[in-house]
Amino acid sequence: SRVQPGENEWNEEALQHYREYVQELLDRGVEPIMNLWHWTMPVWFTDMGGFAKRSNVKYFEQFAERLCRELPIDKIKYILTLNEPNVYASFGYGTGEWPPNKKNPLLMAYVYRNLTVAHKKVYKILKQHNPQLQIGVAPQLVNIQPKRTENISDIFATHWMRYFWNWWFLNRIKRYQDFVGFNYYFTDYYRFGGLKDMLKGNFFYVANPELPKNDLGWYMEPEGIHPLMEQIWKKYKKPIMITENGLADKDDEFRRWWIEQSIVAMERSLSEGVELIGYMHWSLLDNFEWAYGWWPQFGLVNVDRTTMKRTVRPSAQYYAGRIDQLTGN
């Protein structure tokens, strides 16, 4: 929406901003990882139906083509085409909780399918401009486990949800990704519903432990990233990049524990032969959270939204120390 505010309008100031941004990162020894689409879309594209129309995919192709010409992609190694397509399709067109607030399962499936088409087409465009680019997506994956490990109904519910939420999209683009990116925030334990639940249409549901939970009420199990990485590696045998991982924790009560447990889980996966090529903590700064606004604080650095003062949290200091230890600096 910043780069292309009109259908045939390109914002040179915005493009220059990103050119400078990439160069500044490189000058500081930071690896830039470009994400083409993180849900926000130009108004004109939304008014045309967005990704709910297959014919609109061509505009995303044009956008990618323009960026290849305007931005220094020869200096960029990694590109993500889409962020959390499963979340966008499900919450935007299935439950109706997020924009564009539709409740239409068939439309949800169509949007989800169109996003696979968009990724494949843009993958080819990016490779034509720079064959060395490493290209992936960033779906939001969940460590989905059965509540009762010996219960066949719970196991069935688990396999169904893993397929629908974790694997459906990745299976359809597996030949069009150089690495498997994913965002991890929580583990969900699924239980098959009883007769009363089924009469209400709830055939299975999440039955997580009560604690620990983050500020958003999400059950926290940072070590759950390990079995998820194992599953990804077994299915796709491609390098893995953890593109988001973190928690809403205003008082910085659990973030150090979360980071440490995540590091232990990643080290365990590496020791078992998983090829892990990157980890990004979400997020550097407290941000505007898509569905909740400013109040959930995911940042390693606190941002006072009145004065814009930035304060490094103790967990960030700990994280910096662990990176020094792990890299020998």
Side-chain angles (χ1 to χ4, degrees):
S1 55
R2 177 184 290 176
V3 169
Q4 194 179 4
E7 181 179 347
N8 298 306
E9 180 183 350
W10 299 90
N11 186 336
E12 174 55 32
E13 183 179 351
L15 289 166
Q16 182 60 25
H17 164 77
Y18 287 118
R19 293 186 199 105
E20 294 173 358
Y21 197 93
V22 169
Q23 191 59 52
E24 290 285 352
L25 290 172
L26 291 169
D27 290 346
R28 285 162 172 75
V30 178
E31 183 82 61
I33 300 176
M34 185 181 294
N35 188 346
L36 299 186
W37 180 72
H38 199 125
W39 299 346
T40 57
M41 298 188 296
V43 173
W44 63 268
F45 183 71
T46 301
D47 288 344
M48 294 175 70
F51 287 110
K53 290 185 178 180
R54 177 68 61 86
S55 59
N56 287 344
V57 171
K58 66 184 179 185
Y59 296 108
F60 191 52
E61 295 177 67
Q62 292 169 7
F63 172 70
E65 184 75 44
R66 186 68 178 240
L67 292 188
C68 287
R69 298 198 307 269
E70 298 284 355
L71 300 184
I73 64 167
D74 58 313
K75 298 181 179 180
I76 295 171
K77 184 176 181 180
Y78 300 103
I79 287 188
L80 302 168
T81 58
L82 305 170
N83 176 77
E84 296 188 354
N86 50 348
V87 175
Y88 176 77
S90 298
F91 285 85
Y93 293 88
T95 66
E97 297 173 58
W98 294 1
N101 307 109
K102 307 285 186 182
K103 290 186 179 182
N104 186 327
L106 291 177
L107 186 58
M108 177 193 75
Y110 191 62
V111 169
Y112 207 16
R113 175 65 178 171
N114 287 346
L115 289 170
T116 67
V117 173
H119 167 79
K120 291 177 182 179
K121 289 182 177 294
V122 168
Y123 178 91
K124 293 177 182 178
I125 291 170
L126 294 170
K127 284 291 190 180
Q128 287 170 359
H129 281 267
N130 183 356
Q132 302 306 312
L133 278 173
Q134 298 297 291
I135 304 166
V137 294
Q140 191 254 63
L141 304 188
V142 178
N143 176 35
I144 300 171
Q145 300 292 343
K147 180 67 175 179
R148 299 166 294 181
T149 57
E150 303 301 323
N151 185 286
I152 192 169
S153 298
D154 288 10
I155 293 171
F156 167 78
T158 297
H159 281 287
W160 165 251
M161 284 305 300
R162 282 179 182 172
Y163 173 76
F164 169 75
W165 192 257
N166 288 349
W167 313 132
W168 188 92
F169 193 95
L170 289 174
N171 284 348
R172 279 150 185 79
I173 66 162
K174 59 186 178 183
R175 296 197 306 271
Y176 298 85
Q177 57 179 352
D178 303 304
F179 63 91
V180 180
F182 74 98
N183 303 342
Y184 174 77
Y185 290 99
F186 42 77
T187 290
D188 277 340
Y189 290 90
Y190 273 84
R191 178 168 182 156
F192 201 82
L195 180 59
K196 290 183 179 179
D197 295 309
M198 287 188 282
L199 289 173
K200 296 178 182 178
N202 301 322
F203 291 92
F204 45 83
Y205 57 93
V206 175
N208 288 340
E210 286 298 316
L211 295 171
K213 290 183 179 179
N214 68 18
D215 293 351
L216 283 166
W218 300 350
Y219 168 64
M220 296 188 293
E221 192 172 299
E223 63 271 23
I225 204 168
H226 168 257
L228 192 52
M229 290 176 65
E230 277 192 322
Q231 294 166 29
I232 294 168
W233 180 249
K234 183 178 179 181
K235 287 180 71 68
Y236 304 110
K237 282 291 189 290
K238 288 181 182 288
I240 294 172
M241 180 183 292
I242 299 165
T243 44
E244 289 183 21
N245 177 253
L247 68 161
D249 185 17
K250 177 179 180 294
D251 296 325
D252 208 35
E253 181 181 0
F254 298 108
R255 193 171 285 105
R256 173 173 173 166
W257 162 77
W258 178 282
I259 292 170
E260 178 59 31
Q261 291 300 306
S262 297
I263 291 172
V264 169
M266 288 187 287
E267 288 181 322
R268 182 179 173 188
S269 294
L270 285 166
S271 72
E272 294 169 349
V274 173
E275 186 179 351
L276 176 64
I277 58 172
Y279 170 86
M280 286 176 279
H281 189 87
W282 184 273
S283 59
L284 173 62
L285 305 172
D286 288 336
N287 62 292
F288 186 91
E289 189 62 25
W290 184 253
Y292 306 103
W294 294 116
W295 74 263
Q297 297 185 17
F298 279 83
L300 291 164
V301 177
N302 169 257
V303 180
D304 184 318
R305 291 295 160 185
T306 302
T307 65
M308 300 307 291
K309 179 182 178 182
R310 303 180 184 193
T311 305
V312 177
R313 289 189 163 104
S315 59
Q317 300 282 7
Y318 165 77
Y319 184 32
R322 290 292 284 124
I323 290 172
D324 284 344
Q325 291 173 6
L326 292 167
T327 57
N329 292 334

